[in-house]
Amino acid sequence: MQLIFDKSRPGRRAITWDNLDVTEKTGLPAECLRMVPPALPELGELDVVRHFTRLSQRNVGIDDTFYPLGSCTMKYNPKIAEVAAAQPGFAGLHPHLSSSESYWETCQGALELVYELERLLAEIAGMEASSLQPIAGAHGELTGALLMAAYHRDRGHAHKDTIIVPDSAHGTNPASAVVAGFKVVEVPSDANGQINLDKFRAAMTDNVAGIMLTCPNTHGLFEEQVQEIAKAAHAVDALLYYDGANLNAIIGQCRPGDLGFDVMHYNLHKTFATPHGMGGPGCGPVGVAKRLVPYLPGPRVVKRDAGFALVIPEKSIGRVAAFFGNFLIAVRAYAYLRYYGDEGLKDISRVAVLNANYIHARLKEAFKPAFDGRFMHECLFSAVPQAEHGVHAMDIAKALLDYGFHAPTVYFPLTVKECLMIEPTETESKETLDQFCDAMLDIAERAIHDPEALQTAPTSTPVGRLDEVRAARELNCACL
Ligand SMILES: *Cc1c(COP(=O)(O)O)cnc(C)c1O
């Protein structure tokens, strides 16, 4: 494909406005102004539109196919949420309107939305309060770890310097704990994919400040011993952190707060109407139990007789993001929650779990289930039997592209060899799930009879199999 710079012809333009007939005032000092125009490609409007449309068609996306990425959850994002976020009253707001009390009355609607969404998120998870500031799941984890540190510091427990993380955790968990200044102790899983309770108990010393758990964990399994874990944690005044990236598996059925969790993050991208792709943008609010409320990031929106106002909690850890984080993702999430309502939210988890178990039931003879237990919102297989024929998880992922599907997550979690982690989400039809399972079963057959063909897949896509490491390092589309 030609680079856009190669298509450039001097003087070629789209329709532009006439020159201004008033004096231009930029407010910038003259020495900061550019004297020579930047060396941008010069093209007609159609050239630009077609170039980028074609580029987008060379990609696989959630809007054109099933995208069963486990853990990262590329789900259907109702376009109504986009309409809500595009409302000029939200999209056109200047963030500094929240900076000065004299402007608050001009952004009451936005403040109300923050207030209401924080309240709804807290209620959904059985937390006392939440804050929308963090701008990613990992950022929510970091904020949660800082909240735990503030809590222990306040109680004079400086020796609490360790956080326990199971080996099935998302890699961001230990990373966030370390960035917040903690030591990390890893606890292994048992053969059933659950946390090893004996090893966990042995690691629970008085130095433990907190435990970070994902439930369902990244094996797609509900941690059945979660209440024992909570008890053991609270016995030494350690706080229990809930990684809420998988909240779609339990939403409306049970609440982390009721299970004993003290602090958590939500992934509004992934779970609540914004897709998680290419690392951003995101919104990873934190939720906290009562004893952590005083430390929440500030400023916080409060409701007063005269309207919504902003206050900084007395023991706040301070700001963790500019303004209110990625506010328009919060608008999408609010629209989504309002659209579903109480009963609809229950359906999300019911159908997400049903769909994953349907895929598991259809594929369990051809692929090796990673664990015997009952899966929640995602099902994990090990492609070790296929690998014996020379067909690895990566070959299966690439072959799926020839059937028109994006790959599931592969090689994660690291605890499962040749892992295929499939998350259908609640929004796919039975027909789509069946087409996907048919493709997987066909691939399993071909792995036995014609493994070489799978090793060179995909063959029907605009771009064949890439050296992914090189492609990421040498961003030169001419090599495609
Ligand atoms: C995605 C994910 C995270 C991190 O979220 P980001 O927004 O990518 O930082 C944490 N834990 C789990 C289980 C996840 O799936």
Side-chain angles (χ1 to χ4, degrees):
M1 191 162 165
Q2 241 188 336
L3 293 174
I4 197 157
F5 280 92
D6 299 335
K7 293 181 182 167
S8 175
R9 296 292 176 273
R12 221 163 256 182
R13 293 279 180 277
I15 292 179
T16 55
W17 300 113
D18 286 343
N19 286 336
L20 288 177
D21 56 4
V22 290
T23 326
E24 206 169 346
K25 265 199 166 164
T26 62
L28 288 173
E31 66 271 22
C32 293
L33 295 180
R34 182 192 280 283
M35 291 300 141
V36 186
L40 294 174
E42 298 178 64
L43 296 112
E45 182 172 327
L46 283 175
D47 299 328
V48 176
V49 171
R50 288 176 186 159
H51 178 82
F52 286 108
T53 303
R54 246 181 244 135
L55 262 187
S56 77
Q57 288 165 345
R58 292 161 72 89
N59 213 344
V60 177
I62 187 68
D63 279 341
D64 51 33
T65 189
F66 182 49
Y67 212 112
L69 271 190
S71 196
C72 283
T73 322
M74 292 293 285
K75 62 196 274 177
Y76 154 75
N77 313 106
K79 300 295 178 250
I80 188 91
E82 300 299 323
V83 174
Q87 294 297 310
F90 292 129
L93 273 186
H94 196 289
H96 266 304
L97 290 180
S98 63
S99 305
S100 160
E101 190 169 344
S102 54
Y103 299 136
W104 291 349
E105 68 177 289
T106 64
C107 55
Q108 284 291 302
L111 296 180
E112 181 171 0
L113 188 138
V114 170
Y115 179 86
E116 282 296 320
L117 182 59
E118 287 184 346
R119 199 180 58 78
L120 285 175
L121 290 174
E123 189 180 326
I124 283 171
M127 293 282 143
E128 180 73 17
S130 77
S131 163
L132 298 183
Q133 270 191 35
I135 54 170
H139 194 204
E141 292 165 19
L142 172 62
T143 307
L146 292 172
L147 290 168
M148 294 197 254
Y151 168 83
H152 291 305
R153 203 164 42 235
D154 208 18
R155 293 162 71 82
H157 293 164
H159 63 287
K160 290 205 166 286
D161 60 357
T162 301
I163 286 194
I164 294 187
V165 183
D167 64 354
S168 62
H170 197 267
T172 49
N173 287 193
S176 303
V178 167
V179 173
F182 288 104
K183 290 180 199 150
V184 170
V185 171
E186 190 179 90
V187 174
S189 309
D190 61 21
N192 299 323
Q194 303 272 336
I195 196 167
N196 183 322
L197 204 56
D198 291 337
K199 296 254 164 70
F200 169 76
R201 287 217 171 97
M204 280 308 295
T205 64
D206 190 39
N207 289 350
V208 175
I211 297 106
M212 295 179 90
L213 268 196
T214 314
C215 188
N217 61 28
T218 61
H219 294 148
L221 306 169
F222 195 87
E223 285 286 356
E224 283 161 18
Q225 309 159 109
V226 63
Q227 282 173 314
E228 280 95 321
I229 293 170
K231 224 189 252 163
H234 292 150
V236 296
D237 195 23
L239 296 165
L240 197 56
Y241 185 96
Y242 181 80
D243 178 332
N246 295 341
L247 197 61
N248 52 327
I250 61 164
I251 190 165
Q253 311 298 333
C254 71
R255 307 191 306 168
D258 300 337
L259 294 173
F261 286 92
D262 304 288
V263 45
M264 64 177 291
H265 80 267
Y266 310 73
N267 276 68
L268 297 194
H269 53 300
K270 297 189 185 177
T271 313
F272 297 109
T274 296
H276 183 43
M278 316 303 279
C283 184
V286 281
V288 291
K290 203 166 193 168
R291 54 187 162 156
L292 292 177
V293 174
Y295 310 101
L296 275 174
R300 300 190 41 70
V301 180
V302 294
K303 194 172 180 177
R304 296 205 173 124
D305 287 345
F308 294 92
L310 295 165
V311 295
I312 301 200
E314 120 208 42
K315 294 178 177 177
S316 173
I317 59 166
R319 276 189 184 281
V320 295
F323 310 106
F324 290 95
N326 280 323
F327 173 66
L328 293 178
I329 296 187
V331 176
R332 286 181 180 87
Y334 183 75
Y336 184 77
L337 289 175
R338 281 286 180 218
Y339 171 76
Y340 272 99
D342 277 0
E343 277 310 305
L345 289 181
K346 289 179 187 153
D347 281 344
I348 290 179
S349 47
R350 279 190 197 122
V351 182
V353 172
L354 178 65
N355 282 358
N357 281 283
Y358 182 72
I359 290 185
H360 171 243
R362 281 210 57 195
L363 300 185
K364 69 180 181 201
E365 308 297 332
F367 294 88
K368 183 175 174 290
F371 302 103
D372 287 336
R374 209 185 68 123
F375 288 104
M376 294 288 289
H377 62 304
E378 55 199 3
C379 52
L380 279 69
F381 295 94
S382 161
V384 163
Q386 283 74 27
E388 281 163 15
H389 298 280
V391 174
H392 293 270
M394 183 59 83
D395 301 315
I396 297 168
K398 295 294 178 192
L400 275 169
L401 286 167
D402 282 332
Y403 293 81
F405 296 111
H406 192 276
T409 296
V410 288
Y411 301 112
F412 176 80
L414 303 174
T415 40
V416 177
K417 262 195 199 147
E418 296 283 342
C419 190
L420 298 164
M421 184 195 220
I422 305 172
E423 177 167 5
T425 79
E426 76 285 2
T427 43
E428 297 292 344
S429 68
K430 179 165 179 298
E431 290 76 15
T432 302
L433 300 185
D434 278 330
Q435 284 159 10
F436 173 76
C437 290
D438 292 345
M440 287 291 284
L441 294 174
D442 201 40
I443 290 171
E445 273 296 307
R446 289 171 61 203
I448 299 169
H449 303 296
D450 188 14
E452 289 80 19
L454 295 173
Q455 288 157 355
T456 52
T459 53
S460 62
T461 47
V463 179
R465 193 171 303 198
L466 288 175
D467 174 343
E468 295 190 356
V469 175
R470 202 180 133 217
R473 293 201 176 138
E474 294 173 32
L475 295 175
N476 173 7
C477 71
C479 70
L480 304 183

